[in-house]
Amino acid sequence: MRVYVPLTLPGLAEAYKTGELGAGPFVAYAVTPGLREWYVSDDSEELEYAALGRAALASLRLLAAEPEAPRRRVVVAVDVADRAVSEDADRGPDPAAPGEVRVAGAVPLGKAASVHVDAADAQADVTAAAEALPAADAGDDGAQSVVDGAEDHELLWFATQEIANLVGRGD
């Protein structure tokens, strides 16, 4: 199963250093029955993109909690065994729930298929979105518009061989 793991650049650097994602269980996003119902599509490519988008929003939440982290969303796409993934059916109408899964244990970074990161020109909008998250969560439409502004930036695709350069450890 392909899962999308939300991170920050420091989180990606830690994964690069240790060679693994998460200590388990950790949160990721995938095409789940809940995501299919929320997104209302049968197109597998669109559903994968929606799962990536949910992980990008979760990365934004991580950035809001880590003010010292560079303001760039990071998502790692990784393939894991189906049995290592579980969906929490009790989350109900929680807006963060569609596509959210728990991965049971650490996953070798070598299983990553790709890394998705904001371009440098997205930093101002991502910074504003991270700051607006609490107000958006409280129902402020203006703040939600600011959060949505970060989603206007497509995450760039990187091969796993480029992780060293992304975290500043390339040659």
Side-chain angles (χ1 to χ4, degrees), residues 41-99:
S41 175
D42 289 329
D43 184 285
S44 61
E45 205 169 292
E46 284 182 20
L47 289 164
E48 290 289 337
Y49 186 75
L52 173 66
R54 301 300 294 166
L57 178 59
S59 175
L60 184 65
R61 291 188 180 286
L62 293 173
L63 289 172
E66 290 182 41
E68 72 287 350
R71 307 331 257 170
R72 295 170 75 185
R73 297 169 297 165
V74 177
V75 176
V76 177
V78 61
D79 295 316
V80 298
D82 289 354
R83 68 184 177 282
V85 178
S86 62
E87 184 179 14
D88 186 357
D90 295 332
R91 292 288 302 264
D94 183 339

Side-chain angles (χ1 to χ4, degrees), residues 5-17:
V5 181
L7 293 174
T8 60
L9 282 172
L12 182 61
E14 182 64 21
Y16 180 75
K17 180 176 139 188

